[in-house]
Amino acid sequence: MWQVVYIASSKEEADNILKIMEKEGFMVQVDDAGSGSYQIKVPAIEAEEAYSCLHKNF
C-alpha cells in the first residue's frame, strides 16, 4: 500500500522531489492529483522515514 507524503504544486517541484527521494533510496510514485498538483507517494512502511527526509531537504 502506498501513502501520500507530500503534495507538490507543480510538475517541476514533483520531479525535483522524485529525484531527491530516489537518490535517498526510496521507491516513489508521482500521481497527478488534478489542478496542477501532484501526489508524492511512498510505500506505507517507509512513509515516516520519507517524511523526515522531505523535511530535511525542503
Side-chain angles (χ1 to χ4, degrees):
M1 181 178 274
W2 293 80
Q3 184 169 338
V4 175
V5 292
Y6 189 80
I7 298 178
S9 59
S10 69
K11 179 68 171 152
E12 182 180 346
E13 182 182 19
D15 288 342
N16 289 338
I17 292 169
L18 175 67
K19 288 176 189 173
I20 289 170
M21 297 299 286
E22 287 181 335
K23 183 178 176 185
E24 293 288 330
F26 293 100
M27 292 191 306
V28 182
Q29 287 183 351
V30 176
D31 292 336
D32 188 342
S35 301
S37 297
Y38 296 84
Q39 294 181 336
I40 310 300
K41 297 180 179 181
V42 299
I45 196 151
E46 296 181 343
E48 189 174 328
E49 187 178 351
Y51 188 75
S52 294
C53 179
L54 281 170
H55 282 279
K56 182 176 80 175
N57 289 294
F58 289 96

